[in-house]
Amino acid sequence: MNSRIQQILGKAVEKNILSKGEIIAVLLCESPHNDALFRAADLVRKRHVGDAVHLRGIIEFSNYCRRNCRYCGLRCANKDLQRYRMTPDAIYQAALDAVALGYRTIVLQSGEDLFYDADTIAALVRRLKKLGVAVTLSLGERTYEEYRLWRKAGADRYLLKHETADPILYQKLHPDGNYADRLNCLSWLRELGYQVGSGCMVGLPGQTPEMLADDLLLLKELDVEMAGIGPFIPHPSTPLAEATAGTAEMTLKMVALARLLLPLAHLPATTALATVDGDGRAKALCSGANVVMLNVTPLEYRTFYEIYPQKERADKAPVTGRRQFDKMLAALGRPVAQDAGHSPKSEFQQAVS
Ligand code: SAM
Ligand code: SF4
């Protein structure tokens, strides 16, 4: 093996630090170095967060969105999409069903839909917390006051991906967004004591290895508790319909590098990765990932939450998804975590403060 790559990986395993140049060198290397990278990430994952895989149940409760991100099928300019909103009672029922299937974290996700005002979300969070679960919100950019109210209501985590750390590419992809606003929201979430999740897409049009290295360095700087890294997948009803999808290989390399840089972070094996590669979830779990988010949205809404085209969405009931997940983990020899799956980092911080 190329001795420079070997040296970089050795340093990363021991110190969890890499320079931008070193990250780029790893991103540009090819097989068999990739296998060494995946093995190194797997070792760091085992050493710092163990073998258990944390399961999250995601309820995609509304596909209305006020924004126009150029990559996303939920963008408000997409008139081909049938829109839906679940009532708070229906969301609660979906969460109850998920808890019965053994889920200990409920993720509530939607487009940026102001139909659900701050008090409605806060009341829902309070109800969910009574079920004894951890609650993650992923509702996009909202005000400081709204984030504060939801945190006070008991929300544990917030997922807001930075999408790309390149301000120029960010602006191109988000005609109605602003990179500084995104970072501002992330700093509010941190200040309010959420376990913060961020992340990026891999293979965006115009994205370079330098930009991907900046994504990883930003995640390290933000010291996120969770980093969601998935391939970009073109949606036919968006301006990026003709673009090429991100590859599974580059996504796996990004996940592995994220593990080397953020040894205690929760790293999901994303649905987007499983969409571009049928074995993507298992491969990610062997390359540093330790979390899987499964869809527990009632089947009647599934096809309409079409961020990107995804064949399996409509027909995999929560109980089937859970069964397949258990089978995959058994094949990998990895146990399902039995606790709520809070960040080991925040437990550590609580213990030392
Ligand atoms: N509206 C909230 C937000 O933007 O943070 C949450 C929902 S949004 C659909 C969740 C994530 O979907 C985004 O953070 C983005 O990374 C991902 N996403 C959107 N379009 C995508 C695409 N075409 N390919 C891959 N991921 C996509
Ligand atoms: Fe809306 Fe989120 Fe999609 Fe952007 S990524 S259009 S904010 S749902």
Side-chain angles (χ1 to χ4, degrees):
M1 187 173 44
N2 174 325
S3 65
R4 174 154 190 246
I5 298 293
Q6 204 167 9
Q7 200 187 353
I8 293 172
L9 294 179
K11 170 181 157 185
V13 167
E14 292 316 318
K15 301 195 170 144
N16 309 117
I17 292 172
L18 288 176
S19 68
K20 184 169 173 179
E22 289 168 333
I23 295 172
I24 293 170
V26 176
L27 286 172
L28 291 176
C29 75
E30 290 174 2
S31 213
H33 306 304
N34 289 345
D35 298 335
L37 166 65
F38 301 147
R39 275 197 306 276
D42 201 41
L43 175 74
V44 170
R45 187 267 309 152
K46 197 175 175 62
R47 190 186 281 174
H48 291 270
V49 292
D51 282 338
V53 176
H54 298 278
L55 182 59
R56 321 296 198 201
I58 181 164
I59 305 172
E60 298 161 337
F61 65 89
S62 162
N63 68 352
Y64 280 85
C65 188
R66 61 174 163 167
R67 298 177 73 129
N68 250 322
C69 308
R70 286 167 63 82
Y71 43 80
C72 179
L74 306 194
R75 66 200 306 269
C76 60
N78 178 10
K79 303 297 178 208
D80 299 338
L81 185 67
Q82 186 176 323
R83 306 278 171 171
Y84 71 90
R85 287 185 175 113
M86 289 171 64
T87 63
D89 281 346
I91 300 168
Y92 182 72
Q93 185 57 51
L96 268 182
D97 294 345
V99 170
L101 286 173
Y103 288 86
R104 303 288 316 276
T105 290
I106 299 297
V107 182
L108 296 183
Q109 194 182 78
S110 66
E112 278 191 19
D113 184 1
L114 300 189
F115 175 84
Y116 300 88
D117 63 18
D119 289 334
T120 305
I121 297 292
L124 184 58
V125 170
R126 275 191 292 272
R127 268 177 100 184
L128 295 182
K129 287 304 292 179
K130 289 199 182 119
L131 298 175
V133 290
V135 174
T136 302
L137 298 177
S138 178
L139 316 181
E141 293 179 30
R142 303 282 289 243
T143 65
Y144 182 86
E145 276 313 311
E146 288 174 306
Y147 290 151
R148 196 169 73 93
L149 189 70
W150 302 338
R151 178 78 185 117
K152 274 183 76 179
D156 302 277
R157 313 177 189 138
Y158 203 101
L159 171 58
L160 184 76
K161 287 160 77 173
H162 67 272
E163 315 294 3
T164 172
D166 185 83
I168 296 171
L169 182 59
Y170 189 94
Q171 204 56 59
K172 283 187 190 153
L173 295 169
H174 303 97
D176 46 9
N178 179 317
Y179 184 63
D181 288 349
R182 198 74 170 178
L183 291 191
N184 207 21
C185 285
L186 285 164
S187 81
W188 287 342
L189 294 166
R190 168 66 69 223
E191 184 187 322
L192 289 166
Y194 283 93
Q195 292 171 48
V196 177
S198 196
C200 60
M201 279 175 281
V202 177
L204 287 163
Q207 196 176 40
T208 62
E210 286 75 12
M211 293 176 192
L212 289 172
D214 284 335
D215 284 321
L216 292 168
L217 291 171
L218 177 65
L219 291 168
K220 174 102 178 148
E221 186 188 321
L222 293 173
D223 199 16
V224 291
E225 276 78 27
M226 195 276 244
I229 298 172
F232 155 71
I233 303 173
H235 187 292
S237 304
T238 65
L240 301 182
E242 302 305 323
T244 307
T247 65
E249 188 180 52
M250 190 52 95
T251 306
L252 286 167
K253 290 173 77 164
M254 286 289 288
V255 171
L257 280 161
R259 173 56 69 206
L260 295 178
L261 291 168
L262 291 157
L264 290 176
H266 281 314
L267 298 182
T270 61
T271 307
L273 179 57
T275 304
V276 296
D277 178 341
D279 294 327
R281 275 216 176 94
K283 287 180 185 168
L285 289 172
C286 298
S287 308
N290 68 329
V291 171
V292 171
M293 264 191 222
L294 294 183
N295 201 328
V296 294
T297 313
L299 282 183
E300 61 194 289
Y301 304 110
R302 289 282 183 91
T303 40
F304 306 119
Y305 200 81
E306 199 188 52
I307 307 173
Y308 47 78
Q310 202 190 320
K311 283 197 295 293
E312 272 189 349
R313 291 193 73 78
D315 55 6
K316 202 188 278 175
V319 67
T320 319
R322 177 69 218 251
R323 229 181 275 131
Q324 287 179 355
F325 167 78
D326 287 343
K327 225 167 128 188
M328 176 185 70
L329 281 203
L332 295 176
R334 299 269 292 274
V336 186
Q338 297 303 321
D339 59 3
H342 289 303
S343 164
K345 189 162 78 68
S346 48
E347 272 164 31
F348 176 70
Q349 284 170 348
Q350 279 161 22
V352 293
S353 61

